[in-house]
Amino acid sequence: MTNWIIWLLPLPPLLAFFAIILFTNKNKPLSNGIAVAAAGLSWLGSMVVFIKAVGTEEFGLHVFESVINWLPTGETWLQIGVRIDPLSAVVLFFVAWTVLAIFVYSIGYHNFGQPKGDHDLAGLPPHGATVTEDGHTHIVPSIEPMYARFFAFISLFAFGMFTLVVSNNLLTLFVGWEIMGLCSYLLIGFWFGKETARDAAIKAFMTTRVGDVFMLLGIAFVYSFTGSLSYKDIFQPKMLQALAGTPAFFGLSAAGIIGLLLFIGTVGKSAQWPLHVWLPDAMEGPTPVSAMIHAATMVSAGVYMAIRIYPLLSLDAHTMTVVAFIGSFTALFAATIAVAQNDIKKVLAYSTISQLGFMIAALGVHAYIAAAFHLVTHAFFKALLFLDSGSVIHGMEHGVLQTGEHVDPQDMFSMGGLRKKMPITFWTFLIGGLALSGFPVLTAGFWSKDAIFAEAFAGGHLLVFIVLAVAAFLTAFYTMRQITLTFLGEGRTKAAEHASETTWTMTLPLVVLAVFAVGIGWVGMPAWFTGGLVPDWFHEFVGGTLAQAPEAVAFNWIPVATSLVVALGGLLCGWLVYRNVSVPTEDHLQIPLLKNKYYFDEIYAFLFVRPAGWIAEKFTSIYMDQIVIDGFLHSLARFSLFLGHAFRNYFDKPVINEFIGDGTGRTIKASGSGLRKIQAGRVQYYMVVSIVILVVFAFIYYFLKLGM
Amino acid sequence: MSIPLAWYLVLAAALFCIGLYGVLSRKNAIAILLCIELMLNAVNINLVAFWRYQNPAQMAGQAFAVIVFAVAAAEVAVGLALIISVYRRRKTVVADEINLMKW
Amino acid sequence: MTAEQIIFLLFAALVLVSALMVVIVRNLLHAALWLVVSLFGVAVLYAILQANFLAVVQVVVYIGAIAILFIFAVMLTRREAMEKGRQTRNNWWIPAMLGLLILTGLVVLIFNFPNVEQTAAALPVGLDTLQALGTALVSPDAYVLPFEVASVLMLAALVGAVYVATVDKK
């Protein structure tokens, strides 16, 4: 029974996608109803599965698995199927909740129920509609023109994510992966009228593609080595031993190479350095998109896969080093950029990159449980933060429309004092921000970050520990900066003063997610804190996924103290510095290097984009295609034409026409003219001829005796 | 009879060839008919000579000579009638001028 | 050389010479008359060959009828201008050569014929050539059929000649 539910989990969003695209595109309420209902169904199924999973004793040994034979491959079958083990059960949990929350949020975000805009075009964000009430005209936010399409896309995306989570093999995981990549492209470029959005969509797709190519190579390698793609077969101890023992390229074992290749997929999908450039630009999409795809689910999918292949990764020390390096480097790198960003969503984007770096660094130092834990908590509070920022932007837009002021509703420096205007948003944002910073005890982020620090320190990876600590400090710092600039103080623009709270469809998901942001951490509290009263459920549950459950780390006060110091210290510093800053010029951290993201976009443009463009436009298009290939074809054509002419003029006309055609005619005519003189009509002439012939024959017959 | 057969035969042959020459070379159509008569006479001489020298009891030679006479007469009659008819139309008896039946 | 042979040679020469004159002379009437001479010679030859009846028939039919017919025809178709100038065609030498060639060929053939030098045997005693000829011409197991056919031919020729030569009276 449970297996049936698991199989059917991805189905409702897929059906919703087709229904909306094919049938209900024009009907906005029906479309969002179908989408939310589908998300709700999947959520329901996920909860049922999760509860069943949690209720099963020793779930790690009694996973829910169901396979079918799919592709015949010679003697055997390539099997695909679904599998819910402890890891995917918790991932399923947060995916279901965040997806449902975001679906509900999207209804309000796209201004359901508002009038159509004055001059809204499909492909551009809505600009507002003029409404006349009691003789008093004012502009209100207008409904999104492509409303139904949005829900179709996010339904398709949800389908992809669910497929990825429930799959038991790398193939269907990759299928879900790619579907999400496609939806990411579609959704980032949702407002396709904006050129920036179009470019961002292509950038996202291309960058993740780079990662995906390597991942596909890794999958191929896995298949060719092990003959199977399902987790059960790959992660069998004997298979792992064989993988570890076989040397492959570059001095790494087979396990190392495979792990590295698959990890590069994660680097692309989860926006780690060096493939991080797409995530900030992806903020061009609507905020629910940013929340769902680029905070809670898609980028989490990258980390999920990395955690999934941990048994493989951990076999090779070199690969683990690479993983740890990239994770920690990215965490610090992104955090430094985030402190200099002014756009509210960009800060959160870099924050996401940084936090993902935390998770991957955790994985790199063998902190399996900590990485998974941070994945879960981050999904909740980052989704919360993004949805909150969307709410803020909505409130600002409302203010902009009312006052007619031309400010960027996303620029933090034009906000301020919003805590009074948008209380629910403020409190939920505060909770989310504190969770992100790792505020002790009360927020989920504290427990997961602390777990990472503890494991890093205990494992002796001091460099990673220090880097992550600095990054955590910066995280708290820029989060407080963000909160201070946005909510605290007084409104810096008239639009900020006229901002108002958003509708319940937007604030309800915020509240729900805030509850999780606070509470989810308590399921993973380490034993030393509670003194054994509250078991570390998360550790036990998720630990069962691995063949050998990792041990809980013993208490050490250094990581705990570090995490407390960096969290609280960062928050304090942020508040202190920014409570008096009101314009960007007063902000001393607006260093050009940081503001321009270390010029990585420019570097990549120079190294990759321009040469690619040159190759496409100059080399292949003009040199190869027009000059070489077209030239060749044209010369073939000219040659054929020449041959044709030659044949016509030198063979057809003179030989066939003249010689054979006309020539025959002329010869016959001439010979006829000549021969007709024989028939002269003169009798004696005839007689002479006949007697001559008679004589000749007589001669032959009688005298030469021929014919005798 | 002391004349060898050969003499008659040679005579007939010579007469025939003279007639042939005349047929082929005279312009006037009536002259052509005249020469045809010479040829027929040569034939007759041949027939009779052979009759006399081979087997006089069998009358084949003479009988056929008689037939040849008849045929010659008929032919002359018809031929001259034709020539006169043509003469009436075309006012000419020159054989070369009677050449309407060319191509 | 017996007397017979001399007579033969004389009349043979007459025949040939007059035949030659027939084909040479310009005046058509003269040619017809020379033909008459030639025919007379042939009649004599028939007499020498002891084909008496044929000799008489030759004179009567050929000379008396055919030659006269020729003279009539010549007279009927006479035109002043026609008998001046050459009477032979331009390329008369082709028929001449042809004639000589055929003559040579025939002579060669004649002298290859068996028993050609022999002289004639005497007529069988009691053979009445005239009666025998008459019987041969009407006897069913002899030559009555060619005889009858010849008569039909004559009839046809008669009808045809009359028809062809009739002037249409409009």
Side-chain angles (χ1 to χ4, degrees):
Chain A
M1 178 58 197
T2 320
N3 289 345
W4 272 102
I5 299 180
I6 303 175
W7 276 104
L8 291 175
L9 279 177
L11 190 63
L14 182 67
L15 293 177
F17 167 71
F18 281 117
I20 297 174
I21 288 285
L22 293 174
F23 302 120
T24 66
N25 205 351
K26 296 269 174 5
N27 188 337
K28 295 188 170 62
L30 191 57
S31 303
N32 74 11
I34 291 177
V36 172
L41 272 177
S42 292
W43 172 84
L44 195 62
S46 308
M47 289 303 112
V48 167
V49 169
F50 180 72
I51 291 171
K52 278 234 166 78
V54 166
T56 313
E57 283 247 358
E58 299 270 342
F59 186 54
L61 297 172
H62 304 111
V63 297
F64 302 143
E65 186 156 11
S66 162
V67 293
I68 56 166
N69 290 335
W70 190 47
L71 279 182
T73 51
E75 294 287 315
T76 52
W77 287 84
L78 181 71
Q79 295 183 320
I80 59 167
V82 296
R83 176 191 173 99
I84 298 291
D85 57 11
L87 177 65
S88 43
V90 294
V91 172
L92 193 64
F93 180 79
F94 81 70
V95 164
W97 275 103
T98 50
V99 161
L100 183 61
I102 291 165
F103 271 57
V104 172
Y105 179 88
S106 304
I107 301 177
Y109 183 80
H110 283 302
N111 303 318
F112 178 70
Q114 296 286 346
K116 276 214 191 123
D118 295 333
H119 38 266
D120 275 347
L121 292 168
L124 287 170
H127 285 293
T130 323
V131 157
T132 317
E133 284 178 336
D134 321 315
H136 171 63
T137 56
H138 55 268
I139 309 180
V140 294
S142 55
I143 192 169
E144 163 66 49
M146 298 189 291
Y147 188 79
R149 185 192 290 204
F150 184 81
F151 279 96
F153 287 160
I154 57 175
S155 303
L156 185 65
F157 177 86
F159 164 69
M161 189 64 194
F162 276 111
T163 307
L164 183 137
V165 173
V166 305
S167 72
N168 82 331
N169 59 79
L170 286 171
L171 186 64
T172 48
L173 179 134
F174 193 66
V175 166
W177 186 277
E178 290 294 336
I179 292 177
M180 290 198 291
L182 168 70
C183 290
S184 174
Y185 170 81
L186 291 172
L187 285 163
I188 295 174
F190 184 68
W191 286 315
F192 52 81
K194 283 167 58 174
E195 192 181 342
T196 45
R198 291 202 297 268
D199 291 341
I202 294 178
K203 185 172 181 179
F205 198 78
M206 287 288 148
T207 318
T208 51
R209 201 94 202 98
V210 172
D212 293 345
V213 166
F214 287 99
M215 183 169 161
L216 197 55
L217 284 175
I219 293 178
F221 202 148
V222 167
Y223 185 71
S224 73
F225 194 95
T226 61
S228 161
L229 288 173
S230 83
Y231 303 143
K232 204 164 60 165
D233 295 333
I234 300 174
F235 299 136
Q236 268 185 343
K238 285 215 194 67
M239 185 62 74
L240 290 177
Q241 267 184 339
L243 280 167
T246 315
F249 313 97
F250 309 121
L252 293 168
S253 60
I257 282 285
I258 293 173
L260 199 59
L261 288 171
L262 292 173
F263 178 66
I264 296 178
T266 299
V267 168
K269 203 63 142 187
S270 298
Q272 298 298 294
W273 181 88
L275 295 173
H276 63 280
V277 291
W278 65 273
L279 194 54
D281 283 23
M283 297 301 124
E284 293 285 338
T287 309
V289 170
S290 308
M292 182 161 73
I293 295 185
H294 309 123
T297 40
M298 192 170 97
V299 295
S300 305
V303 180
Y304 166 71
M305 192 207 54
I307 297 177
R308 184 53 94 186
I309 62 168
Y310 172 80
L312 197 63
L313 276 178
S314 59
L315 291 172
D316 192 310
H318 300 294
T319 314
M320 289 302 263
T321 315
V322 170
V323 169
F325 167 73
I326 289 185
S328 38
F329 179 78
T330 308
L332 186 58
F333 171 77
T336 54
I337 299 179
V339 301
Q341 299 298 314
N342 292 338
D343 186 319
I344 194 171
K345 281 172 73 172
K346 288 263 181 6
V347 176
L348 291 173
Y350 284 104
S351 171
T352 307
I353 299 176
S354 178
Q355 294 302 304
L356 292 169
F358 267 85
M359 294 176 223
I360 291 181
L363 210 56
V365 296
H366 296 272
Y368 181 82
I369 309 282
F373 195 23
H374 200 55
L375 179 66
V376 175
T377 58
H378 172 266
F380 281 115
F381 60 67
K382 196 41 76 58
L384 172 65
L385 282 170
F386 265 107
L387 294 183
D388 263 315
S389 71
S391 181
V392 165
I393 295 169
H394 246 263
M396 285 294 292
E397 276 179 359
H398 191 253
V400 164
L401 287 173
Q402 268 206 324
T403 59
E405 209 181 344
H406 286 286
V407 295
D408 182 5
Q410 294 186 304
D411 188 352
M412 291 194 294
F413 279 101
S414 51
M415 301 177 193
L418 289 181
R419 72 179 181 289
K420 291 176 277 205
K421 302 287 188 310
M422 309 170 72
I424 304 179
T425 308
F426 168 61
W427 282 105
T428 47
F429 197 102
L430 187 63
I431 292 173
L434 290 178
L436 176 58
S437 314
F439 190 81
V441 181
L442 284 177
T443 57
F446 168 73
W447 298 110
S448 52
K449 265 212 196 118
D450 184 57
I452 297 178
F453 284 133
E455 293 256 10
F457 189 76
H461 306 102
L462 284 177
L463 185 59
V464 171
F465 176 74
I466 294 172
V467 168
L468 288 181
V470 175
F473 176 79
L474 287 173
T475 307
F477 180 75
Y478 65 66
T479 308
M480 203 54 200
R481 169 179 182 260
Q482 191 173 28
I483 296 176
T484 314
L485 285 174
T486 311
F487 293 103
L488 303 181
E490 297 301 324
R492 282 183 277 273
T493 59
K494 287 215 289 296
E497 286 167 14
H498 286 269
S500 63
E501 188 58 88
T502 46
T503 72
W504 67 269
T505 46
M506 288 171 76
T507 50
L508 179 63
L510 294 176
V511 171
V512 169
L513 287 174
V515 169
F516 277 110
V518 169
I520 199 83
W522 293 334
V523 302
M525 292 190 289
W528 53 263
F529 184 79
T530 58
L533 284 173
V534 179
D536 191 350
W537 173 84
F538 195 86
H539 187 108
E540 247 187 77
F541 185 67
V542 177
T545 319
L546 290 179
Q548 216 177 8
E551 287 173 4
V553 177
F555 173 68
N556 190 327
W557 64 270
I558 296 185
V560 178
T562 316
S563 92
L564 279 173
V565 164
V566 298
L568 294 171
L571 287 169
L572 191 65
C573 289
W575 179 66
L576 284 175
V577 172
Y578 282 96
R579 62 189 169 136
N580 293 323
V581 171
S582 52
V583 285
T585 44
E586 290 177 23
D587 187 355
H588 296 294
L589 284 169
Q590 296 276 306
I591 306 170
L593 185 66
L594 297 180
K595 227 167 126 55
N596 290 323
K597 315 157 247 160
Y598 293 93
Y599 300 107
F600 260 97
D601 279 336
E602 286 74 11
I603 293 174
Y604 284 166
F606 180 73
L607 280 179
F608 299 115
V609 176
R610 280 208 1 226
W614 177 83
I615 288 179
E617 282 171 26
K618 273 265 161 358
F619 186 65
T620 29
S621 173
I622 296 184
Y623 293 161
M624 291 275 305
D625 200 38
Q626 284 181 5
I627 295 183
V628 174
I629 295 182
D630 277 1
F632 174 65
L633 291 175
H634 287 321
S635 64
L636 265 186
R638 270 202 301 275
F639 180 65
S640 318
L641 208 57
F642 163 74
L643 267 186
H645 278 299
F647 265 118
R648 174 93 184 125
N649 292 333
Y650 296 119
F651 183 67
D652 196 40
K653 277 192 191 156
V655 176
I656 307 254
N657 280 1
E658 289 286 317
F659 185 61
I660 297 179
D662 289 348
T664 318
R666 265 204 303 276
T667 318
I668 290 179
K669 196 169 175 198
S671 53
S673 304
L675 278 176
R676 76 142 129 123
K677 300 210 171 43
I678 294 178
Q679 193 164 9
R682 302 199 294 274
V683 165
Q684 283 164 310
Y685 178 66
Y686 292 163
M687 286 196 280
V688 167
V689 168
S690 53
I691 288 177
V692 164
I693 292 175
L694 182 69
V695 165
V696 166
F697 272 103
F699 186 73
I700 292 171
Y701 187 68
Y702 282 115
F703 290 101
L704 295 184
K705 298 284 193 279
L706 296 172
M708 286 292 247
Chain B
M1 313 304 308
S2 54
I3 305 166
L5 177 59
W7 292 16
Y8 284 104
L9 298 184
V10 170
L11 169 69
L15 192 59
F16 184 84
C17 288
I18 291 170
L20 183 67
Y21 168 73
V23 165
L24 295 180
S25 72
R26 292 287 296 214
K27 277 201 214 172
N28 199 318
I30 297 177
I32 295 174
L33 280 172
L34 227 51
C35 300
I36 289 175
E37 291 311 312
L38 284 177
M39 288 158 81
L40 283 165
N41 270 295
V43 167
N44 259 349
I45 295 175
N46 239 357
L47 277 171
V48 176
F50 271 111
W51 165 75
R52 179 68 182 81
Y53 280 75
Q54 298 280 37
N55 187 1
Q58 191 185 0
M59 277 301 167
Q62 280 207 22
F64 275 104
V66 169
I67 305 289
V68 170
F69 274 125
V71 168
E75 167 244 321
V76 163
V78 173
L80 286 176
L82 280 170
I83 288 176
I84 289 175
S85 173
V86 168
Y87 175 76
R88 286 206 190 115
R89 291 235 177 207
R90 309 258 299 169
K91 301 291 180 248
T92 180
V93 286
V94 175
D96 279 346
E97 289 178 18
I98 309 170
N99 60 354
L100 270 183
M101 286 199 40
K102 58 188 176 187
W103 68 272
Chain C
M1 186 80 49
T2 64
E4 225 182 356
Q5 286 178 342
I6 293 172
I7 293 175
F8 172 81
L9 285 170
L10 233 85
F11 280 100
L14 178 70
V15 167
L16 287 177
V17 166
S18 52
L20 226 71
M21 297 313 279
V22 168
V23 303
I24 285 176
V25 294
R26 281 185 193 190
N27 194 328
L28 198 54
L29 202 52
H30 291 181
L33 293 173
W34 277 112
L35 181 70
V36 170
V37 172
S38 179
L39 293 173
F40 263 122
V42 172
V44 172
L45 286 174
Y46 286 153
I48 295 174
L49 279 171
Q50 290 173 303
N52 330 346
F53 178 66
L54 285 184
V56 176
V57 168
Q58 168 90 347
V59 173
V60 168
V61 171
Y62 254 110
I63 300 172
I66 292 174
I68 300 298
L69 198 55
F70 266 114
I71 292 170
F72 273 141
V74 167
M75 286 182 184
L76 278 177
T77 61
R78 237 182 130 129
R79 293 186 71 184
E80 289 303 326
M82 271 184 335
E83 276 161 29
K84 301 220 172 83
R86 288 182 37 172
Q87 281 302 305
T88 49
R89 295 169 76 225
N90 280 350
N91 46 0
W92 57 269
W93 50 272
I94 297 178
M97 278 190 37
L98 213 55
L100 281 172
L101 200 65
I102 291 177
L103 182 60
T104 340
L106 283 173
V107 165
V108 168
L109 271 178
I110 286 167
F111 281 106
N112 283 339
F113 199 71
N115 301 326
V116 79
E117 289 281 343
Q118 69 177 62
T119 56
L123 277 177
V125 172
L127 176 68
D128 185 354
T129 55
L130 186 61
Q131 193 183 12
L133 177 63
T135 313
L137 278 178
V138 296
S139 150
D141 48 350
Y143 305 105
V144 69
L145 195 54
F147 184 65
E148 296 301 333
V149 170
S151 2
V152 173
L153 176 68
M154 301 267 275
L155 177 63
L158 177 68
V159 170
V162 168
Y163 179 76
V164 166
T166 304
V167 175
D168 276 336
K169 289 204 171 62
K170 294 254 176 81

